[in-house]
Structures are given as structure tokens and as C-alpha cells.
Amino acid sequence: MNSPEDHPTHVSADGDTSNRRQRIKHACEPCKKRKRRCNGEQPCSTCIKYEEANSGAAFAQLLRNRLEPRQANSPNAQTPSWNIGMSEEQQDLPSELTRIVSKDQMQKLSESYFTTIHQLYGFLNRQVFDTKIEERWNMIYVPDPYDSILCGVAALGSQYLGEPSKSLEIALVDCAKRMLEITSASNTPSYENAASWTLRTIYLRSTTQPYAAWITSCTAMLTIDGLGMGGDPDDESEAGIINRRRLFWCATVLNTWVSNEYGRTKVEVSKPLPAHLVSRPGDFTPDLLYLYRISERLDPKKPSTASDFEAGIAELVTFQPPVDALFLSQSNLALALYRRLRFVASTISDETIRRVITMGNAGLDAVLRLIVKRQPWWHVANVPFQFICTLLVIDTEEALEHLRRAVDTLQAVAECFPTRSLTDTLSSVRKLIQLACKQKRGQLSLLEQSLTPRPAVLRTEQPRMGLASGQVQSPSTWSPESMDFTDFDWEKFFSTDVSVLEYPLPMT
């Protein structure tokens, strides 16, 4: 016989009860993923059973909660017996930020950051941040947990200033890195840590090899996941330096796009936040999120068809980027969608190819404008290079006529930012074009060979063609003028179905 718990009663608005099963409005994320029964509590009874079975740390914590219910919701910083705990001393935070830059310098670097990076990755609250600068330089020699954020902003501001100081930039990056190493070793993750890792991802994306940017973006997402960013789905408050929902989505976009470009797995958090951001003047983070939604078609875990990728390109071409950095993202996404489309489609429409070329050229225009300002957005180099590769793959006259401009744009980038990486990239592009030229010369040679005059294929006497009863014509003396077509049945001749592999039947 079933117990009462198996059939919970339902109380209606007028007080009546019935035996209808009570539906939970919001099941927890683990139960949603595993499609398990959930009672809606945090944690739910099903998750408790799974955690008890799988996790020794969770088992101990749940035991403590049952023995001490009043402390059930209090955070537990310590994990008993996780290891032997040999390195338990707490390191002091360095206070060198105020020695590296003055307040005036910090304000200048902050202005550079908020007029460039913040336009797309707007997870810091400008007004609160400016107030923090004033407070920080009033207590110069006192360490501050926000110093890693201040250092990250200052380093990016120096990089995008247009007149960068490499020694200052390196000092700021090293300071931020040391602070992250110390604070990340603490017992619990923090929003300051998550924001600092996100800033470091942005910096590494434009300065180092893919692996470093990818692993840093994963660290940012894992820190966010450790924070369990639940809460009010409509919360976009300006109370603190960090806007949590914007931080979540900026870190998500970075991790997803870096993972896609590098061909690695992205981090999926257990409690994603709503993808709705309030528009603000001079802040185009919602536009970045719009492009991210289009890019979800590239998720290798989601089944996508050729029509999905073509629809993504068609939607993308209607987007009007408000700033040059978004032109780069639009162009790069169009090229990525086209690459995936080639893998699944036997043919691609001319209209789709024209759209891709149009967005590629728009990206080149944005690159040229950005290098004048000496702003090293990572797609400044990536868009021309990928566009060149795409044009070589399309390999039509309409596509190749844009090749020279794309190569010139990449060379202009290499001249503006004379790094070894860009020098190697330019060399690789020239090698690719040389190989394409060699292939086409080989194809042209084959075509020309087919036109070379040759002696008669059959030197023996060929059968004579019968023209009429009792008439024959020698092949050596045949000419169009000698033919009499007066009574020739042209209609029957042109309507005859001649098969390439059809042989005449032998005469019996």
C-alpha cells in the first residue's frame, strides 16, 4: 500500500484538497539535468542522497546540518580532512599598486579602459569604480582586496591607450597576477576573484597563445560556478563595483568564444543567469550578448544543419554594429559560421557567400580604423587572416578580387604592431597564396595541354562515311563544302538520344 507521501494532497484556492500531485514550480538544476524528481528545496532531498553517496565532504556537511540545524545555511569555509593541511599560513596581500602608478595615472588608465574594453565587456560600475580610486589612494600603504581589479583595469587601459608604456603595463600585469595567485588560494571564491580572472582573460586573449587565454577563461567560469550566482533574476544593481549578471555573461562569452576558436571544451555552470541586460549609454554589452546568441549554433554539442548556419549568417548580416570592436566580432562570427557550413553542406548559395564576403570586408574597414588608434583588439589580426583563408577556399573570381585588400590590411596590422607573431602570420599567408598559385598554374598547364595540336590519333585508313546510296567520301578529302545536306533530316538528327556508353549492335 502506498504511503501518504507518495500522493501529496493539493490545496486549492478555496481551501478544498485533492489527491492531484503537487507540481514544483522551480526544480533545482541538477534534477533538471538528470530528469529526477525534485521537491524544490535547496538542496532538495534527491540531491542530498546523491551528495551523501558521492561526496565525503558533502556527507560531513550534511551531518553537521542535521546535528546543528540553526547553522545549516551558514557557509563552511573549511573542508575537514581534504588534505593534511601543511601550508596553512595566510599570505599578506601586496600593497605595491599605489607605488606603481599615481592617482592621476590611474585615472587616465581607467578612462582608457572604460572608453574601449568596457564598451563590450561592461561588468564594472564606472561611478563606484571612480570612487574606489579616490579611496584607494587615500590609504596608500594598506593592501586592498580590490587591487587585483584595479591592476587589471590599469593594465588593459595602458594597452589600449594608444601610447602604451610597456614597462608600466608589465608591472601592472605582474602585480595583478600575484594578487590573483594569493587570493585564489583562499578558502572561498569571491566576486573580486571572478572579475579579476575575467580581466586577465581579456588581456591574455590579445597578448599570448590560445592555451593561456583558454585556461584563464575556464578559471574565471569555475570561480563563478563556485560562487553559485543565483539570486534575483532581475537584479542589475549599481551598488558595488561588480555587476554580477554582466560579469557572468561577459565571462561566458569569453570562455565560449575562446573555446570555439581554440577547439576546446567550454565550462558550463550549474546555475546560469537570465540573458537579459539593461541598455546603458555608451555600453554595448547587450549587443555582444546578441552576437553570442547567434554563435550558439556553433556549439558542437548541439545538432545543427546547413539551414541553421545559413540562417545564422542571414541574421548576422542584418546586425548594425555601433562600434568597430563589434564589427570585428560580427565578421569573425560570419567566417566561423561559414567554416561550419562548408562541413555540412554539399552546396552553398551565392547569396550566402556574398553575405560572408560583405561582412568580411566590413571587418577589414574596422581593422584599418582601429589600428589608426593603436587599439590591439585580438580580432584586428584574426579577421584579416581568417578572411584570407576563406577567400582562398571559396576560390571564385568574385572572392579572389578581395584577396589583395585583405593581404594589405594584414600587412598594415603587422606594421602597426611589429610583433613576431604577426610577422609569422604574414609569412604563413604569403605561403598559402604561393601554394594556391602553384596549384592554379598546374591546372592551367593541364588546360593548355588539351589544346596542343597532335597528329592523327588513328594513322591506319579510317572507315569511309556513307553519304548516300553508292557514295563514299575519303576522310582525307572531306570538307563541309563537299557535303550535300539538301535532303538531310535535321529534326530527326537533333532529336536522337545518343548515349555516351551506347555501342552499335553487331550486324547479323
Side-chain angles (χ1 to χ4, degrees), residues 197 201 204 210-222 255 258 262:
W197 282 115
T201 300
L204 294 179
Y211 177 78
W214 173 70
I215 201 71
T216 306
S217 71
C218 290
T219 304
M221 289 303 296
L222 291 170
N255 178 244
V258 169
Y262 188 39

Coordinates of all heavy atoms in Angstrom, one line a residue, residues 197 201 204 210-222 255 258 262:
W197 N 39.9 37.4 -12.8 CA 40.2 36.4 -13.8 C 39.6 36.8 -15.2 O 40.3 36.5 -16.2 CB 39.7 35.0 -13.3 CG 40.5 34.4 -12.3 CD1 40.2 34.1 -11.0 CD2 41.9 33.9 -12.5 NE1 41.2 33.5 -10.4 CE2 42.3 33.3 -11.3 CE3 42.8 33.9 -13.6 CZ2 43.5 32.7 -11.1 CZ3 44.0 33.3 -13.4 CH2 44.4 32.8 -12.1
T201 N 41.7 37.3 -18.6 CA 41.4 36.6 -19.8 C 41.4 37.6 -21.0 O 41.9 37.3 -22.1 CB 40.0 35.9 -19.7 OG1 40.0 35.0 -18.7 CG2 39.6 35.2 -21.0
L204 N 45.0 38.4 -21.8 CA 45.8 37.3 -22.4 C 45.3 37.0 -23.8 O 46.0 36.5 -24.7 CB 45.7 36.1 -21.5 CG 46.4 36.2 -20.2 CD1 46.2 34.9 -19.4 CD2 47.9 36.5 -20.3
P210 N 46.9 30.7 -27.5 CA 45.5 30.4 -27.1 C 45.3 29.6 -25.8 O 44.4 29.9 -25.1 CB 45.0 29.5 -28.3 CG 45.9 29.9 -29.4 CD 47.2 30.3 -28.9
Y211 N 46.3 28.7 -25.5 CA 46.1 27.9 -24.3 C 46.0 28.7 -23.0 O 45.1 28.5 -22.2 CB 47.2 26.9 -24.2 CG 47.1 26.1 -22.9 CD1 46.3 25.0 -22.8 CD2 47.9 26.4 -21.8 CE1 46.2 24.2 -21.7 CE2 47.8 25.6 -20.6 CZ 46.9 24.6 -20.6 OH 46.8 23.8 -19.4
A212 N 46.8 29.8 -22.9 CA 46.8 30.6 -21.7 C 45.5 31.3 -21.6 O 44.9 31.4 -20.5 CB 48.0 31.6 -21.7
A213 N 45.0 31.9 -22.7 CA 43.7 32.6 -22.6 C 42.5 31.6 -22.3 O 41.6 31.9 -21.5 CB 43.4 33.3 -23.9
W214 N 42.6 30.4 -22.9 CA 41.5 29.4 -22.6 C 41.5 28.9 -21.2 O 40.5 28.9 -20.6 CB 41.7 28.2 -23.6 CG 40.8 27.1 -23.3 CD1 39.5 27.0 -23.5 CD2 41.2 25.8 -22.7 NE1 39.0 25.8 -23.1 CE2 40.0 25.0 -22.6 CE3 42.4 25.2 -22.3 CZ2 40.0 23.8 -22.1 CZ3 42.4 23.9 -21.8 CH2 41.2 23.2 -21.7
I215 N 42.7 28.6 -20.6 CA 42.7 28.1 -19.3 C 42.3 29.2 -18.3 O 41.7 28.9 -17.3 CB 44.1 27.5 -18.9 CG1 44.0 26.5 -17.8 CG2 45.1 28.6 -18.6 CD1 43.3 25.2 -18.1
T216 N 42.6 30.4 -18.6 CA 42.3 31.5 -17.7 C 40.8 31.8 -17.8 O 40.1 32.0 -16.8 CB 43.0 32.8 -18.1 OG1 44.4 32.5 -18.1 CG2 42.7 33.9 -17.1
S217 N 40.2 31.7 -19.0 CA 38.7 31.9 -19.1 C 38.0 30.8 -18.4 O 36.9 31.0 -17.8 CB 38.3 31.9 -20.6 OG 38.5 30.6 -21.2
C218 N 38.5 29.5 -18.4 CA 37.9 28.4 -17.7 C 38.0 28.7 -16.2 O 37.0 28.4 -15.4 CB 38.6 27.1 -18.0 SG 38.3 26.5 -19.7
T219 N 39.1 29.2 -15.7 CA 39.3 29.5 -14.3 C 38.2 30.6 -13.9 O 37.6 30.5 -12.8 CB 40.7 30.0 -14.0 OG1 41.6 29.1 -14.4 CG2 40.9 30.3 -12.5
A220 N 38.0 31.6 -14.7 CA 37.0 32.6 -14.4 C 35.6 32.0 -14.3 O 34.9 32.2 -13.3 CB 37.0 33.7 -15.5
M221 N 35.3 31.1 -15.2 CA 34.0 30.4 -15.1 C 33.8 29.5 -14.0 O 32.8 29.4 -13.3 CB 33.7 29.7 -16.5 CG 33.5 30.6 -17.7 SD 32.1 31.7 -17.4 CE 30.7 30.6 -17.3
L222 N 34.9 28.8 -13.6 CA 34.8 27.9 -12.5 C 34.7 28.6 -11.2 O 34.0 28.2 -10.2 CB 36.1 27.0 -12.5 CG 36.1 25.9 -13.6 CD1 37.5 25.3 -13.6 CD2 35.0 24.9 -13.4
N255 N 34.7 32.7 -22.5 CA 35.1 31.3 -22.4 C 34.5 30.5 -23.6 O 35.2 29.7 -24.2 CB 34.5 30.7 -21.1 CG 34.8 29.2 -21.0 OD1 33.9 28.4 -20.9 ND2 36.0 28.9 -20.9
V258 N 36.5 31.7 -26.9 CA 37.9 31.3 -26.9 C 37.9 29.7 -27.1 O 38.8 29.2 -27.8 CB 38.6 31.7 -25.6 CG1 40.0 31.0 -25.4 CG2 38.8 33.2 -25.5
Y262 N 39.7 27.9 -30.2 CA 40.8 27.0 -29.9 C 40.5 25.5 -30.0 O 41.4 24.7 -30.0 CB 41.3 27.3 -28.4 CG 42.6 26.7 -28.0 CD1 43.7 26.6 -28.9 CD2 42.7 26.2 -26.7 CE1 44.8 26.0 -28.4 CE2 43.9 25.6 -26.3 CZ 45.0 25.5 -27.2 OH 46.1 24.9 -26.8

